[in-house]
Amino acid sequence: MSTDEYRRGTAVERERQQKQRPARGRYRGVLPVIYAIGFVMFTGVSLYIGPEPAFAVYLVTHVFYAGLVRADIKSLRGQGIDWGASRHLWFGAAFALPFVAPAYYLYSGRVIRRENKSRNLDD
């Protein structure tokens, strides 16, 4: 018998119920749509207006991407997925680099599938 069988209380019950639910990224599905909209805006502004306003679009969209990545990682951590220190790297990279948002989308999908498989919830 493990020690978990002796533990009681609402926190333990919540923990057991949480392990039975499949993990899902709360903002993960929105990220490709926002990325596509930002890419179209950046391209349009850089072609028709100029590079200075395009840089402003770049900054604003990447602040938004970083916020979405941070919120998604926070929601996944709340579901029991441990990210370790790499969560800070994903956030910083999403703020600065142009192709991190799609890379995060693919990587988080792998992490979620792996976690659901370990929970025996192949969803």
Side-chain angles (χ1 to χ4, degrees):
M1 279 190 179
S2 69
T3 58
D4 285 344
E5 293 177 8
Y6 294 107
R7 293 174 53 202
R8 300 178 196 268
T10 58
V12 174
E13 291 302 318
R14 194 175 321 121
E15 208 173 274
R16 286 185 187 152
Q17 289 174 357
Q18 186 177 23
K19 289 181 182 177
Q20 298 304 317
R21 290 189 208 135
R24 298 189 197 286
R26 181 176 292 168
Y27 303 103
R28 184 177 175 272
V30 177
L31 198 57
V33 175
I34 299 299
Y35 189 82
I37 291 169
F39 181 75
V40 169
M41 285 175 32
F42 176 77
T43 305
V45 168
S46 64
L47 288 176
Y48 295 112
I49 299 177
E52 292 87 11
F55 184 70
V57 169
Y58 176 84
L59 286 178
V60 170
T61 55
H62 278 74
V63 167
F64 196 69
Y65 300 151
L68 283 175
V69 167
R70 181 185 178 280
D72 194 56
I73 289 174
K74 189 174 179 180
S75 75
L76 289 173
R77 288 184 70 213
Q79 297 174 45
I81 297 177
D82 184 30
W83 283 83
S86 71
R87 68 184 185 269
H88 303 296
L89 295 174
W90 280 110
F91 173 73
F95 180 72
L97 302 172
F99 297 112
V100 171
Y104 170 78
Y105 178 80
L106 296 173
Y107 178 74
S108 65
R110 285 184 25 208
V111 168
I112 290 169
R113 277 192 301 278
R114 183 178 58 219
E115 181 67 23
N116 287 337
K117 190 173 184 178
S118 73
R119 294 179 185 182
N120 294 324
L121 299 169
D122 296 329
D123 190 25

